[in-house]
Amino acid sequence: MLVQDRQNPKPHQIPLANPFPESKPFDFSNWVSLNLFKLATLFFLTLTIASFFFLRGAPDSAAFLCFNSRPKPSQLTHLPKINFDSIHPLVDKSSSYASFSSDRWIVVSVSSYPSDSLRKLAKTRGWQVLAVGNSRTPSDWSLKGVIYLSLEEQSSLGFRVVDFLSYDSYARKTVGYLFAIQHGAKMIFDADDRGEVIDGNLGKHFDLKLSNVDTLQERILEFDFENPNKTVVNPYIHFGQRSVWPRGLPLENVGDVLYEEHYNQIFGGMQFIQQGISNGLPDVDSVFYFTRKTSSQAFDIRFDDHAPKVAIPHGVMVPLNSFNTLFHNSALWALMLPVSVSTMACDILRGYWAQRLLWELGGFVVVYPPTMFRYDDIEGYPFSEEKDLHVNVGRLVKFLSSWTSNKATFFEKVMELSNSMGEEGFWKENDVKLIGAWLQDLVSVGYIQPRMKGFEMKKQRKRRIGDGRSFVPKKLPGFHLGVEESETVNFEIGKLIRWRKRFGNVVMVLFVENGDVERTAMKWKLLYGRIFKTVVVVAEHGREDLGVEEASLEFIYKYLPMVFEKFPNAEGFLFLQDNTILNYWNLLQADKDKLWITYKVPQSWTRVSDDSVLFAKQADWVKKVVSTMPVHFQVNYKESNPTEQGLTICNSEVFYVPRQFVGDFTDLVALVGNYKIDYRVAVAMFFMAMDSPQNFDDIFSRMVYKKIPAEELSSNVTNLYAAEVPAVHPWRVSNEVEFAELMRLMAAGDPLLKELV
């Protein structure tokens, strides 16, 4: 339909007779003087009436003076009201599976060729597996018995939600959920392609039939918390692991390891969302993963498979994931994944959002003993991928626990809560619109809006069956950090998060010279890998099986550009020799946009003169390189080195190159070419050419530095170490015993290191 521009019609004019005789032309000045009093009275009367009505509508009298500057409340754009009764059915007529129907589906997201775990999952009897692709999925992806939805097929289905999903988004699983519901799904198992169902039988672990007599008469344990203010629980404690916590648990609750001995009981039949526990690599966050993993050995964490399933009472929440969770028909509306938060946060936010709405239906979340085994066979996600969790999840739980609604229908409540979460900043307006599209798609594929039950938080928290039941959870072996024995775990983990947040995108290059690299390389990675993006270990003789690169210390600067190229998104690169200990907790104040080096440590940064042949060659090569430098490098270098007598040498035990100087460093390496300039000479020359020393960050000026070669140390001098300085030199670590000694000393600055010894 075309819409034409509308113009305001000219008012119809009625001709009026001239009240003045033509023989006497109108004298305006005379008329004003005669009627001045009347005009003034009319003006003030009009102003008074206008002021009265304005002030009456304003919240206070000050509004009259400052109405132009009054701030408007921050609100999302009001969305159009959805009439769910007028939504037309959407029937699959385009896909190859238009006539196929199944009431039990497993939905996974795939980005690579089928894994062994997915091949086994595809053989789960009585279940149809649906794989949802994205832009990273191979174009020829296929697996016998599995329905695969490519990007093209997803677009052809006609779902409204597709307009909100990026091509590479994990949230494209949302299309898969709708496809399954359209094709008869009454329950959906939300899974990933890294897990295997224990014994290959989902019915053995979950409650699939909620309406049969046995299920309805079954009594399920329910947490009974004496503290009415408790709003979130760590379910892993109930299943024997007090030192492990799930991804999505607010970090301020990690130290709450008290277990329940007395439980309430509820009748079965309302466990609409069923969360399974995973052995092997359970669903843990990056803080746990990178602080507990001590080597390249994969996690194999086990839970008590004899512990009874446990229900989460209304008013209390638990993290839910998209890896091992069963949704029954009454909760299929809860499957939508938000798109404005990170991948590692989207299912957690979905889970908390869904739980609050589930209370309106009288439904429960029930957590089950181990149902899957997940393999720890890919690189862990960095902390930055979970920033949406650690920043907002604690506040989200409190917000949801206090949220109420007077809306008449369930889908209206869903939209109201979604909009409120957007206004509070937990997700963005795009997600609110996505949820509106999701609900419309649900109705169009035949999903019936659930009926609500009256919900009152206080009444639900008091509801009991009989006298309850006692159960004492087992205490299975912990993993590297005994949370239950540490009263300061919240504080220490908080510090670790700050360090990781500060240096989590900085690459460390560590040159190992002392001891057997096989005995020390992994220990160094363990120590510093908890803080930095990655630790590239380099030695004179590389070890491919240990991930140790090969390079010569004498020309280590020529190796660094390869590291720069390998990590193009890193903020900076910190080089460290293993004869120097880095106290990373004292580097928080350093400027990551500046160069760091030991230029204020006279034992490390010196100017020397020598008549030897070796010195003469080095000096000559430096002059030749400087003469070929572009003007900005020459100017910097000559300002820092005004006389041509002598050489500036830096032992280069530790230095840092920020991203903005990476290109300059690489260009200077290229200028050196085939000259065999020693690294102690070259690094000093590079730094003086890149910037003036007065612009360097002097963070290392306070380091402990003794002029003792590390190889001459028969044993480390314990009183040489100080936790209050940024670095300590020299120090020798050549075996596990010396490494353990170092960990105990460094624990004065990082107490969590005590658990790694």
Side-chain angles (χ1 to χ4, degrees):
M1 180 178 70
L2 297 177
V3 180
Q4 296 179 339
D5 291 336
R6 296 181 179 180
Q7 295 181 346
N8 294 325
K10 295 182 179 179
H12 180 65
Q13 297 180 351
I14 301 176
L16 299 175
N18 190 345
F20 303 100
E22 293 183 2
S23 60
K24 292 183 179 181
F26 174 65
D27 187 345
F28 180 76
S29 59
N30 185 50
W31 180 84
V32 169
S33 62
L34 292 173
N35 296 279
L36 181 61
F37 176 78
K38 295 180 180 180
L39 290 173
T41 303
L42 179 63
F43 172 77
F44 285 110
L45 179 62
T46 303
L47 180 61
T48 302
I49 294 172
S51 301
F52 170 79
F53 281 106
F54 175 81
L55 291 174
R56 183 181 180 184
D60 54 55
S61 59
F64 181 73
L65 299 177
C66 60
F67 65 91
N68 283 327
S69 61
R70 182 181 174 189
K72 297 181 180 180
S74 176
Q75 292 184 345
L76 299 181
T77 303
H78 289 293
L79 301 175
K81 188 173 182 179
I82 301 172
N83 184 356
F84 291 104
D85 295 328
S86 64
I87 297 173
H88 298 291
L90 182 60
V91 180
D92 181 8
K93 296 180 180 179
S94 61
S95 77
S96 304
Y97 311 98
S99 61
F100 178 79
S101 180
S102 175
D103 60 353
R104 298 178 180 180
W105 290 73
I106 299 173
V107 179
V108 300
S109 174
V110 292
S111 298
S112 57
Y113 287 109
S115 63
D116 291 338
S117 296
L118 183 57
R119 295 179 189 278
K120 293 179 181 179
L121 195 63
K123 297 178 181 179
T124 306
R125 295 181 62 181
W127 292 78
Q128 175 60 51
V129 175
L130 173 64
V132 183
N134 54 57
S135 59
R136 299 187 301 275
T137 312
S139 59
D140 58 345
W141 196 100
S142 67
L143 179 60
K144 184 178 180 180
V146 174
I147 295 176
Y148 170 63
L149 294 180
S150 65
L151 287 176
E152 293 76 13
E153 289 172 312
Q154 294 171 41
S155 298
S156 68
L157 293 173
F159 296 140
R160 298 169 179 83
V161 298
V162 174
D163 295 337
F164 298 90
L165 306 173
S166 62
Y167 292 122
D168 62 347
S169 175
Y170 176 78
R172 284 197 163 265
K173 287 182 81 173
T174 300
V175 178
Y177 306 140
L178 286 169
F179 182 89
I181 296 169
Q182 186 182 48
H183 289 264
K186 294 297 182 282
M187 64 185 73
I188 292 177
F189 182 56
D190 206 8
D192 72 350
D193 59 356
R194 294 171 61 188
E196 298 177 8
V197 179
I198 297 173
D199 298 329
N201 185 355
L202 285 172
K204 179 180 178 181
H205 306 289
F206 292 107
D207 293 317
L208 304 184
K209 298 179 179 180
L210 298 185
S211 59
N212 64 15
V213 176
D214 291 340
T215 302
L216 293 173
Q217 292 181 349
E218 180 187 18
R219 296 188 175 191
I220 302 174
L221 294 190
E222 179 193 52
F223 285 120
D224 178 20
F225 297 113
E226 295 182 358
N227 181 4
N229 296 319
K230 190 176 184 70
T231 56
V232 68
V233 62
N234 178 0
Y236 291 172
I237 297 172
H238 176 83
F239 296 98
Q241 284 292 355
R242 304 179 191 180
S243 63
V244 186
W245 65 90
R247 177 174 57 96
L249 186 75
L251 290 178
E252 59 263 31
N253 296 97
V254 167
D256 184 5
V257 296
L258 297 177
Y259 58 86
E260 296 295 311
E261 292 187 6
H262 186 274
Y263 291 74
N264 290 333
Q265 295 183 89
I266 63 170
F267 284 120
M270 301 295 285
Q271 56 267 44
F272 298 150
I273 299 180
Q274 302 174 15
Q275 176 66 64
I277 299 289
S278 299
N279 280 335
L281 177 63
D283 187 25
V284 295
D285 62 22
S286 61
V287 176
F288 178 92
Y289 190 87
F290 289 109
T291 58
R292 306 302 182 86
K293 194 147 186 171
T294 58
S295 67
S296 58
Q297 184 177 359
F299 270 127
D300 187 6
I301 301 175
R302 301 295 174 128
F303 294 87
D304 181 9
D305 53 5
H306 296 294
K309 59 194 174 190
V310 60
I312 311 301
H314 292 170
V316 179
M317 294 185 173
V318 66
L320 301 177
N321 60 50
S322 58
F323 305 151
N324 185 11
T325 312
L326 180 69
F327 292 77
H328 276 269
N329 186 64
S330 295
L332 294 182
W333 53 267
L335 282 160
M336 182 281 317
L337 290 166
V339 295
S340 65
V341 296
S342 63
T343 297
M344 297 308 293
C346 67
D347 56 343
I348 300 299
L349 264 66
R350 173 189 75 174
Y352 283 125
W353 166 81
Q355 285 175 83
R356 177 59 191 88
L357 292 166
L358 192 66
W359 301 344
E360 302 291 331
L361 304 178
F364 286 90
V365 170
V366 173
V367 185
Y368 290 72
T371 56
M372 295 194 78
F373 187 94
R374 293 181 73 237
Y375 292 93
D376 181 16
D377 54 4
I378 65 173
E379 183 179 356
Y381 287 92
F383 177 84
S384 59
E385 285 292 319
E386 298 176 356
K387 62 181 183 299
D388 299 308
L389 287 181
H390 302 303
V391 171
N392 285 325
V393 71
R395 186 170 66 90
L396 173 62
V397 170
K398 294 177 182 177
F399 166 77
L400 292 173
S401 298
S402 61
W403 180 82
T404 58
S405 172
N406 295 319
K407 294 296 183 181
T409 68
F410 180 66
F411 279 179
E412 286 179 327
K413 286 182 182 285
V414 173
M415 286 306 303
E416 183 179 32
L417 175 59
S418 304
N419 192 69
S420 296
M421 287 178 59
E423 290 179 342
E424 291 292 327
F426 297 116
W427 53 34
K428 296 182 180 178
E429 183 176 345
N430 211 34
D431 280 320
V432 183
K433 294 179 179 179
L434 168 64
I435 292 169
W438 161 256
L439 295 180
Q440 293 179 76
D441 283 336
L442 282 177
V443 174
S444 70
V445 298
Y447 184 73
I448 299 175
Q449 184 173 176
R451 292 184 179 181
M452 293 187 295
K453 292 188 176 181
F455 171 73
E456 290 186 38
M457 186 83 70
K458 294 181 180 179
K459 290 184 179 180
Q460 294 292 339
R461 292 291 289 262
K462 292 179 179 179
R463 178 184 41 75
R464 295 171 179 262
I465 296 177
D467 297 327
R469 178 182 158 189
S470 295
F471 170 75
V472 179
K474 289 184 178 179
K475 184 180 180 182
L476 299 178
F479 282 79
H480 314 309
L481 176 61
V483 177
E484 66 277 10
E485 283 103 23
S486 176
E487 296 179 356
T488 60
V489 65
N490 291 338
F491 176 69
E492 303 306 340
I493 289 179
K495 290 198 298 185
L496 181 63
I497 291 173
R498 288 197 299 274
W499 302 333
R500 181 73 185 180
K501 183 177 181 180
R502 180 67 173 163
F503 301 112
N505 198 26
V506 172
V507 173
M508 171 180 278
V509 181
L510 178 67
F511 189 87
V512 176
E513 189 173 25
N514 296 299
D516 185 350
V517 69
E518 184 175 5
R519 303 174 70 182
T520 60
M522 293 302 102
K523 298 295 185 182
W524 288 120
K525 283 190 175 184
L526 163 65
L527 171 60
Y528 295 124
R530 299 156 57 251
I531 308 300
F532 296 93
K533 179 182 181 71
T534 192
V535 178
V536 179
V537 178
V538 187
E540 293 282 351
H541 304 286
R543 285 286 302 272
E544 185 176 352
D545 57 324
L546 298 176
V548 177
E549 303 287 335
E550 182 172 324
S552 167
L553 178 61
E554 185 179 3
F555 306 113
I556 191 65
Y557 60 91
K558 295 186 177 183
Y559 167 78
L560 292 180
M562 290 186 285
V563 181
F564 300 160
E565 185 177 0
K566 188 175 181 181
F567 299 96
N569 297 320
E571 289 182 87
F573 300 83
L574 192 146
F575 176 79
L576 182 70
Q577 296 184 44
D578 69 340
N579 61 9
T580 302
I581 304 305
L582 188 72
N583 292 338
Y584 41 81
W585 52 88
N586 292 322
L587 301 179
L588 293 177
Q589 303 304 317
D591 190 338
K592 289 191 296 181
D593 293 327
K594 291 185 176 183
L595 295 164
W596 310 349
I597 200 165
T598 54
Y599 77 107
K600 285 192 174 182
V601 181
Q603 302 94 325
S604 176
W605 181 285
T606 57
R607 186 165 182 80
V608 298
S609 297
D610 197 331
D611 295 331
S612 66
V613 175
L614 177 62
F615 175 86
K617 283 185 177 180
Q618 293 287 319
D620 182 57
W621 287 334
V622 168
K623 289 181 181 179
K624 290 180 178 179
V625 171
V626 171
S627 68
T628 62
M629 287 181 181
V631 60
H632 59 288
F633 288 149
Q634 283 200 38
V635 170
N636 286 337
Y637 180 81
K638 291 179 179 179
E639 285 182 355
S640 305
N641 193 43
T643 65
E644 297 185 1
Q645 300 299 320
L647 274 179
T648 300
I649 292 178
C650 178
N651 291 333
S652 306
E653 296 87 358
V654 56
F655 60 82
Y656 170 78
V657 180
R659 166 57 57 188
Q660 64 173 328
F661 288 103
V662 163
D664 291 347
F665 194 102
T666 302
D667 292 343
L668 290 166
V669 171
L671 291 177
V672 172
N674 295 324
Y675 294 132
K676 296 181 179 180
I677 301 179
D678 186 87
Y679 76 100
R680 290 165 292 188
V681 176
V683 170
M685 175 179 66
F686 290 175
F687 269 67
M688 290 188 294
M690 289 189 290
D691 203 356
S692 171
Q694 66 183 11
N695 294 328
F696 296 170
D697 195 296
D698 62 356
I699 186 65
F700 295 124
S701 63
R702 297 185 300 107
M703 73 178 290
V704 172
Y705 196 107
K706 300 295 182 182
K707 199 72 173 179
I708 308 172
E711 60 271 13
E712 295 182 9
L713 290 174
S714 57
S715 62
N716 291 313
V717 181
T718 303
N719 59 11
L720 177 66
Y721 180 81
E724 300 79 19
V725 300
V728 177
H729 174 88
W731 201 269
R732 179 186 179 90
V733 176
S734 58
N735 54 52
E736 291 85 349
V737 174
E738 292 177 350
F739 191 87
E741 177 190 10
L742 175 63
M743 293 300 96
R744 282 191 286 269
L745 292 172
M746 293 182 70
D750 182 359
L752 295 184
L753 291 176
K754 290 184 291 186
E755 308 299 335
L756 301 181
V757 179

